[in-house]
Amino acid sequence: MLPVPSLAENASMFCFVLILLVPLAWIGVGLLNAGLGRSRSAAHAVLTCLCSGGIAVTTFVIFGYSWQATAANSGHFVSVGTHSWNLLASQPFFLRGSRLDLSAESLIVLLQIFSVALAAIIPLSAGSDRWRLGPACISSALLAGVVYPVFAHWVWGGGWLAQLGTNVGVGRGFVDAGGASTIQITGGLTALSITWILGPRRGKFSPQDMPAGIPGHNAVFALVGCLFAWIGWLGLNTAGAILFAGCQISAVVLIVVNTTLSAVAAALTMSALTKARFGRPDASLCANGWMSGLVASSAAAPFVKPASAIIVGIIAGVIVVYSIDLLEARLTIDDPAGAISVHAVAGVWGLFAVSLLTGAASSGQWLAQLAGVCTLFGFVLPFTYGLNWILDRFYRQRVDEEGEMQGMDLYELGAGAYPEFVTHHDEFLPR
Amino acid sequence: MKLMSFGLLAGGWVIVVAATWLLHVPLVRTLFVIAGSAIQVMGLVLAVRAHKMSSSEKG
């Protein structure tokens, strides 16, 4: 069983402050979603982040956490041979079984509330310009109430994935301190499900499946979003390491260094690759690169040395640029902000980096990480796709053609994000 | 075709879970986990192809 750490009062307060940084990641992802989408849907993008995140938090508090809980809480077990495997927690709804008093358990509750919101807003960019607000919110509720808590229990709540080490000696069990699997890959796979259900934006692919470029409307939003996300990730990785990986408070310096190095290395790699391919660095792809470095660091940051963190970031940057290309150009998957590549693909790399770059591969840690990745693709992906598919049958998720032409802002909200968009002709006169 | 692909994804996962829970010889367990992963890869490829076909049909 993964124990809940016992923290001294100073350590609890410090961990609380770290957790308060996590909503900055929410802001960062929201800005990224808005910036990499079209201007006619900018307000809708940010409003959907607010509403989806809020509904995710509420749903999680009402009943999601009841199924996730912590290793110290009661749960539903299944006995196989001599081993007992923890499948699901069984706590009361509305957090009635949890003490919210700066104890380690209460800090876990708080971190999970912020984490589930982050997981819920990751898929929003994949549905940019065509995902209606109402269905997006219900989809977030399904993610926060059902999909996320079940998998997070298996990883962080003392569930069977975490027990692989103690029960059958597979490494230390599945390890993921900062949520690469529970938050990032879960969000990325939900984004994949959404792109499959919604289909591409109008005009994105020609009849011959050639993709047309639909650039984001505001690179500044996207890049500033990366900076906010960086601060949020520092809180996420450090608090996650203390609460879920048993790291000491003194380890936060290493984690912050590794998180930063991974993001920087990924962004610079992406910058170099896009300059080599296109003659100039691409701002939006560099933003994706930065984010992929953060995502990849989520699993590995507490366990690797700084030099290895740079390698994690470089490989994340390389993988993501080719993944974005593959998904769009070859597989006709329209993912405006690259959520699938940045969160799912980079997250998978981050999980394997834990075993490959820490010398733990020989102890079977890679097998535990592989089991976790297989669970994501074999359970989370079909589950989230199935729920969204059923939702689509009852409550159409995609906006109609008129809405897509007008833009989500005007069609769903009645007002554009930039109502006073004026082109000043005199600024373009020769001087 | 998409349903079959998700069946392969889930089936591969069940093999992985069963291998980790039931098999105690490390080499045999590893081989079965890899086999389950390979089935999942096939399922993912099939899902992507199903998506491409349905996109072409909607066209």
Side-chain angles (χ1 to χ4, degrees):
Chain A
M1 274 286 214
L2 195 69
V4 176
S6 60
L7 300 173
E9 191 173 339
N10 288 348
S12 293
M13 180 54 73
F14 182 62
C15 196
F16 175 67
V17 171
L18 291 174
I19 294 172
L20 290 182
L21 295 177
V22 178
L24 290 170
W26 190 354
I27 297 172
V29 172
L31 279 172
L32 204 67
N33 291 354
L36 295 180
R38 302 180 77 169
S39 60
R40 65 187 70 178
S41 306
H44 186 272
V46 184
L47 181 64
T48 313
C49 277
L50 277 175
C51 295
S52 284
I55 284 182
V57 165
T58 309
T59 310
F60 187 74
V61 164
I62 292 173
F63 61 87
Y65 184 76
S66 312
W67 295 332
Q68 181 187 338
T70 68
N73 300 126
S74 59
H76 299 288
F77 289 78
V78 64
S79 292
V80 177
T82 55
H83 299 303
S84 191
W85 299 95
N86 188 343
L87 292 186
L88 208 60
S90 57
Q91 287 293 98
F93 293 162
F94 288 95
L95 302 180
R96 283 180 294 122
S98 302
R99 291 167 27 225
L100 302 176
D101 58 357
L102 213 60
S103 60
E105 189 195 346
S106 66
L107 294 174
I108 289 174
V109 170
L110 184 62
L111 180 60
Q112 289 309 289
I113 285 172
F114 292 157
S115 300
V116 76
L118 186 57
I121 67 174
I122 287 170
L124 298 180
S125 66
S128 187
D129 298 319
R130 60 209 190 284
W131 200 5
R132 295 166 60 210
L133 177 60
C137 291
I138 297 177
S139 177
S140 297
L142 292 172
L143 178 80
V146 187
V147 181
Y148 178 97
V150 171
F151 185 75
H153 176 73
W154 293 347
V155 178
W156 286 335
W160 71 270
L161 276 171
Q163 291 176 295
L164 288 176
T166 51
N167 276 11
V168 291
V170 181
R172 291 170 49 189
F174 181 71
V175 169
D176 178 14
S181 60
T182 50
I183 304 169
Q184 311 303 328
I185 301 177
T186 300
L189 293 178
T190 306
L192 178 61
S193 306
I194 292 303
T195 58
W196 278 342
I197 289 170
L198 294 179
R201 289 168 289 179
R202 273 182 74 255
K204 177 62 186 176
F205 295 106
S206 71
Q208 294 77 33
D209 288 342
M210 292 297 295
I214 303 178
H217 86 283
N218 196 322
V220 173
F221 277 8
L223 294 166
V224 170
C226 290
L227 296 175
F228 276 110
W230 168 48
I231 304 297
W233 247 262
L234 296 182
L236 187 61
N237 286 356
T238 47
I242 293 167
L243 295 172
F244 300 123
C247 291
Q248 298 299 312
I249 297 290
S250 55
V252 297
V253 176
L254 174 67
I255 297 167
V256 166
V257 167
N258 284 344
T259 305
T260 305
L261 284 175
S262 183
V264 164
L268 292 176
T269 301
M270 189 69 92
S271 179
L273 278 173
T274 50
K275 183 163 169 55
R277 289 181 81 189
F278 309 124
R280 297 170 190 168
D282 183 291
S284 61
L285 282 176
C286 288
N288 284 142
W290 179 277
M291 293 300 295
S292 71
L294 290 176
V295 168
S297 75
S298 288
F303 308 114
V304 298
K305 295 197 170 16
S308 299
I310 294 173
I311 295 172
V312 169
I314 289 173
I315 294 176
V318 171
I319 290 174
V320 165
V321 74
Y322 290 109
S323 171
I324 290 172
D325 204 32
L326 175 71
L327 289 176
E328 186 178 72
R330 306 285 175 95
L331 304 183
T332 62
I333 291 174
D334 182 17
D335 182 10
I340 302 166
S341 302
V342 167
H343 296 276
V345 176
V348 169
W349 158 239
L351 288 176
F352 284 120
V354 171
S355 64
L356 294 173
L357 297 176
T358 58
S362 58
S363 66
Q365 187 61 42
W366 71 273
L367 197 66
Q369 302 304 94
L370 180 59
V373 171
C374 290
T375 305
L376 284 158
F377 282 92
F379 172 77
V380 172
L381 177 58
F383 195 19
T384 188
Y385 182 88
L387 288 174
N388 280 291
W389 184 84
I390 293 170
L391 172 63
D392 194 50
R393 289 289 170 275
F394 291 99
Y395 193 10
R396 185 173 46 87
Q397 300 217 43
R398 185 178 177 129
V399 73
D400 56 27
E401 196 174 324
E402 186 193 345
E404 203 170 339
M405 283 173 60
Q406 274 187 29
M408 302 298 284
D409 286 356
L410 280 177
Y411 193 73
E412 289 224 306
L413 307 182
Y418 309 105
E420 296 175 28
F421 221 113
V422 174
T423 304
H424 298 282
H425 294 282
D426 58 345
E427 288 178 355
F428 297 97
L429 289 174
R431 296 180 191 279
Chain B
M1 200 160 151
K2 201 159 254 178
L3 196 58
M4 199 183 317
S5 67
F6 286 130
L8 285 175
L9 284 169
W13 174 58
V14 169
I15 291 173
V16 168
V17 174
T20 50
W21 287 15
L22 300 174
L23 300 177
H24 303 294
V25 178
L27 180 61
V28 176
R29 182 169 59 201
T30 302
L31 289 174
F32 269 88
V33 168
I34 291 173
S37 311
I39 292 171
Q40 287 199 309
V41 169
M42 285 195 292
L44 201 57
V45 169
L46 198 63
V48 166
R49 289 175 72 99
H51 164 76
K52 278 201 80 168
M53 279 171 56
S54 63
S55 299
S56 303
E57 282 164 15
K58 284 177 193 167

